[in-house]
Amino acid sequence: MTHCILALLCLAVCQLPVLAQRQGTLLSGKILSADNSIVDFATVYLKGTKYGCMTNEKGIYHLKAPAGTYTLIVSAVGFETVEKEIRIAPDGRTRQNIVLQPSLTELEEVEVVASGISRVKKSAFNAVAVDTKELQNSTKNLGEALQQLPGMKLRESGGVGSDMQLMLDGFSGNHVKVFIDGVPQEGAGTAFDINNIPVNYAERIEVYKGVVPVGFGTDAIGGVINIVTNKSKRNWFLDASYSYGSFNTHKSYVNFGQTFANGFTYEVNAFQNFSDNDYYIDNEVRRFEIMEDGSIYFPPQDGKKYRVKRFNDQFHNEAVIAKLGFTGKTWADRLMFSLGYTHFYKEIQTGVYQETVFGEKFRHGYSLMPSVEYKKHNLLVRNLDLTLTANYNHNFTNNVDTASRHYNWLGEYYDNGVRGEQAYQRSQSKNTNWNATGNLNYRFGRIHTLTFHHVASNFRRTSRSYTGTSSVLTAFDIPKVTRKNISGLSYRVVPSEKWNASVFGKHYHQFNQGPVSTSSDGVGNYQNMEKTVSAWGYGAAGTYYIYKELQAKVSYEKAYRLPTTDELFGDEDLEAGKTDLRPENSHNLNFNLSYGHSFGKHGLYAEASYIYRDTKDYIKRGFGKNGTTQFGIYENHGHVKTKGYTVSLRYNFSHWFNMGGTYNNIDTRNYERYVTGGSLQESVTYKKRLPNIPYRYANLDATFTWRNLFAKGNTFSLTYDSFWQHDFPLYWEGIGKDKNMIPEQFSHNLSMSYSLKNGRYNYSFECRNLTNEKLYDNFSLQKAGRAFYGKVRVHFGK
């Protein structure tokens, strides 16, 4: 529904005084629902114009516009948006009635603000969205696209395909859940990480901050990212692109499909990424000399930083997703079967710290992902809507570390006679993960909606070693199992366009079985253990228009987050699991004010949000060392409070210029006062900021657009964007030396694109990190310097 976002622009535009037209032909009609009831306060708008209005209490609308052919767009709370081509006669009166179908979800009420940054306006939840249409000529992935939104930051440990975390309002990693079209993506595998999916894959990306609607059936406490794909009925279409850039980076994407008159639909998505990631970094070099007797001599370290090139960091992934089914049938609004295949290969250049360097260690694997989706309005009885989804993921991951060489950052090596650069292994993990979701929506009366949602998931991992050795980080002979069931029930009332509210409750249940270490350092000496946890959560959300252009939102939730598979069981390589982790529980509060106003050709949008999280049993990633093996490990830290605010401002002038930016100040601190539960010794980290979490950052972007340049239908655009981040501590504040700070960063990107024949042929060029800054996200792992990319894209059909 690419045009859905543009359609809902009318929510702001139709209230402007410029719509009081004095000349033109009268267009009028009546807006009804599928059950023949009146739809009042519906928005009616002529696409690409400033002609619009709202229906009255009888569902009737009147507007005046010059004669001609237009696209009429009608939207209303709780209904699918309708686009219909109409012709307004040059004289007399044109009448056009429209029937709206009920929406299966309350989450898709999006209003465009500027430059693709949108607000999920009528929803009572604090939510924003990115329209990817303006980004589809770029080489961005979905994670990079999200960084334009308030409170969002993508944290990567390196280049293309590197480990990543999405940070949202101070929470990151597993605190933030990712969905595609409302379906959870846990267990999808490395090839389908959000920083490996091209931006063209999505129509838009929605972000729900902190308090999450029951329609997602999730256990997030940081928020939800929902990737929304285009599900509109389309005739034959093709979207294909290829890009090449620095560090031998190749990216390609193709999407094609068709919906026939009888409703039969097929679609294929495929994409790949490849990069050597051989960029330069600054690091100390551990020198060595091989003596005549074969012994190794290590000269004293000089403490200098050298400019060295990464050399064991190649990554590539491939994915193809095929869909087949029917839409618009009496027995199903949508029935779609899907089969996906993904593959990845990833060389491992470093451990969790940059001073550790590997020269031959790598990982590879593949996934098979069948799924089914079913939607039906008015199931058995009027106003009862059903959505069912089910998917299965069969994932293999192989970790290979068999070299007996020890490397330094110059690529030099010596044979130390011990197999394994980190820990000798050639192992395979088989992950089987399935989940099923069910969503029932029942509308009674004109303003009331009940929603019930349930999600069930089952994960099982079995591992085997081909070297005959065990790993200090895991027990290969003990299966890892987790089962989750989350149910939610909500009530929503929408008495008018002025305000609406929701209340909801959730029940969480999880069963875990797997190895638990009996050692003091948390690894080794494993025993099999089972654990079951259950909890209840609840919340409420509301929104109110103080006046037409000023909206307030407030939401609260007592939320739980169940430990993920990697936290429970590790990754069989660099991460150690902890099967006895307790769920996090948190009081989440959000307050938001937004203001939007258009005056002539000018548009202005501003918003400010305050967030508060009081979290117990916070799961924190720490670090451990066993012999020469460094690893990451998760633990329940205790009590953490997060307070902060985000502000954003956007301005646009006609279709020629738009700019905007966000500023984020998020403070996450330790409120576990004493060293242990029974001790009166106050912790030295009490009320200190949690380490390795950026707490003050901002972004800015500006785009100039020249339409019909050189020929009608051709468009040239020039975009600048930047990201600033304050320095932040790598370790606990007040502990360690000042050098343990990740430095302040300010990066700049520049891109330009030229589209021909209304977007059929597209060419773009980008420069990332224009000033070649030293950039870091995690544990002082340096990211790429200045880089250049070019992209060619073609788009046919609708």
Side-chain angles (χ1 to χ4, degrees), residues 286-290 296-299 406 408 412-414:
R286 185 69 167 115
R287 302 283 187 172
F288 62 86
E289 296 178 15
I290 301 176
I296 308 299
Y297 169 69
F298 297 96
H406 189 91
N408 66 14
E412 302 168 341
Y413 63 88
Y414 62 89

Side-chain angles (χ1 to χ4, degrees), residues 162-183:
S162 62
D163 294 336
M164 69 90 197
Q165 290 185 335
L166 280 167
M167 192 172 79
L168 175 59
D169 289 343
F171 283 81
S172 61
N174 299 312
H175 298 101
V176 182
K177 303 293 186 178
V178 177
F179 290 73
I180 295 180
D181 294 324
V183 177

Side-chain angles (χ1 to χ4, degrees), residues 496-514:
S496 71
E497 288 279 323
K498 196 172 183 68
W499 71 277
N500 69 79
S502 297
V503 294
F504 58 89
K506 297 180 182 179
H507 181 258
Y508 308 84
H509 180 85
Q510 184 178 35
F511 168 81
N512 303 322
Q513 178 185 354

Side-chain angles (χ1 to χ4, degrees), residues 496-733:
S496 71
E497 288 279 323
K498 196 172 183 68
W499 71 277
N500 69 79
S502 297
V503 294
F504 58 89
K506 297 180 182 179
H507 181 258
Y508 308 84
H509 180 85
Q510 184 178 35
F511 168 81
N512 303 322
Q513 178 185 354
V516 173
S517 173
T518 58
S519 300
S520 58
D521 60 0
V523 296
N525 299 319
Y526 294 101
Q527 293 184 357
N528 196 16
M529 188 207 75
E530 295 182 359
K531 185 176 183 180
T532 301
V533 294
S534 295
W536 287 92
Y538 49 85
T543 181
Y544 179 78
Y545 283 86
I546 300 171
Y547 60 90
K548 288 182 178 179
E549 296 163 325
L550 181 64
Q551 182 184 18
K553 294 186 177 189
V554 63
S555 55
Y556 163 80
E557 181 180 12
K558 173 63 183 296
Y560 286 82
R561 185 181 78 81
L562 306 174
T564 67
T565 55
D566 280 350
E567 291 169 336
L568 292 167
F569 309 130
D571 67 354
E572 313 289 320
D573 185 18
L574 299 173
E575 305 282 329
K578 196 169 184 181
T579 313
D580 55 348
L581 284 173
R582 298 182 299 276
E584 297 175 319
N585 66 90
S586 180
H587 295 278
N588 295 346
L589 178 67
N590 294 275
F591 179 73
N592 175 272
L593 278 175
S594 61
Y595 173 81
H597 181 65
S598 295
F599 42 99
K601 294 183 178 181
H602 304 270
L604 182 67
Y605 180 81
E607 73 166 86
S609 296
Y610 172 78
I611 64 107
Y612 174 81
R613 311 277 187 270
D614 187 352
T615 307
K616 301 290 182 62
D617 286 327
Y618 181 89
I619 298 176
K620 177 180 175 294
R621 183 174 185 258
F623 302 97
K625 188 173 183 179
N626 185 284
T628 59
T629 301
Q630 295 177 333
F631 56 89
I633 193 168
Y634 295 90
E635 59 185 353
N636 288 108
H637 174 70
H639 190 187
V640 170
K641 288 185 180 181
T642 302
K643 304 174 186 177
Y645 62 88
T646 65
V647 293
S648 62
L649 181 67
R650 301 203 68 83
Y651 164 79
N652 66 285
F653 175 73
S654 186
H655 295 292
W656 184 76
F657 173 72
N658 64 68
M659 70 174 296
T662 70
Y663 176 80
N664 312 274
N665 193 320
I666 310 294
D667 198 19
T668 304
R669 293 181 180 267
N670 171 37
Y671 273 77
E672 188 70 22
R673 184 165 187 170
Y674 299 107
V675 175
T676 61
S679 171
L680 295 180
Q681 179 183 352
E682 187 169 290
S683 170
V684 295
T685 62
Y686 179 55
K687 291 189 177 181
K688 301 290 187 182
R689 284 194 182 93
L690 261 64
N692 199 43
I693 297 179
Y695 58 89
R696 193 175 299 136
Y697 49 96
N699 60 60
L700 175 70
D701 64 85
T703 299
F704 297 86
T705 303
W706 290 267
R707 301 183 188 278
N708 300 318
L709 185 65
F710 303 130
K712 187 176 181 180
N714 294 0
T715 302
F716 178 79
S717 63
L718 179 66
T719 299
Y720 163 82
D721 66 270
S722 62
F723 183 84
W724 171 83
Q725 179 177 277
H726 196 274
D727 57 353
F728 61 94
L730 180 60
Y731 306 112
W732 288 102
E733 291 178 318

Side-chain angles (χ1 to χ4, degrees), residues 234-374:
R234 293 178 285 176
N235 294 327
W236 186 86
F237 65 92
L238 170 68
D239 186 5
S241 63
Y242 168 77
S243 69
Y244 174 76
S246 298
F247 321 120
N248 195 29
T249 301
H250 305 257
K251 297 182 179 183
S252 58
Y253 173 80
V254 63
N255 174 217
F256 63 91
Q258 187 175 11
T259 298
F260 295 89
N262 63 359
F264 178 73
T265 301
Y266 72 90
E267 182 179 352
V268 175
N269 265 291
F271 61 86
Q272 65 83 218
N273 300 284
F274 177 94
S275 182
D276 287 331
N277 289 316
D278 54 348
Y279 58 88
Y280 284 90
I281 63 168
D282 299 284
N283 203 80
E284 294 182 8
V285 175
R286 185 69 167 115
R287 302 283 187 172
F288 62 86
E289 296 178 15
I290 301 176
M291 310 304 290
E292 290 184 1
D293 60 0
S295 62
I296 308 299
Y297 169 69
F298 297 96
Q301 293 282 87
D302 57 15
K304 294 181 181 180
K305 292 288 183 74
Y306 293 87
R307 184 169 171 80
V308 295
K309 190 176 185 180
R310 296 172 74 104
F311 57 90
N312 184 51
D313 204 23
Q314 187 182 99
F315 173 85
H316 64 84
N317 72 313
E318 300 81 30
V320 58
I321 304 98
K323 298 179 180 180
L324 201 67
F326 291 89
T327 59
K329 310 299 289 185
T330 57
W331 40 270
D333 296 300
R334 181 177 176 87
L335 175 62
M336 200 66 59
F337 298 92
S338 173
L339 179 62
Y341 172 81
T342 67
H343 172 265
F344 81 95
Y345 170 85
K346 176 181 174 65
E347 295 176 345
I348 311 298
Q349 179 71 94
T350 72
V352 293
Y353 295 99
Q354 190 164 285
E355 57 263 29
T356 302
V357 55
F358 304 131
E360 298 183 34
K361 182 177 169 65
F362 68 95
R363 184 182 304 159
H364 66 98
Y366 69 90
S367 296
L368 286 172
M369 303 178 297
S371 66
V372 62
E373 173 192 6
Y374 176 79

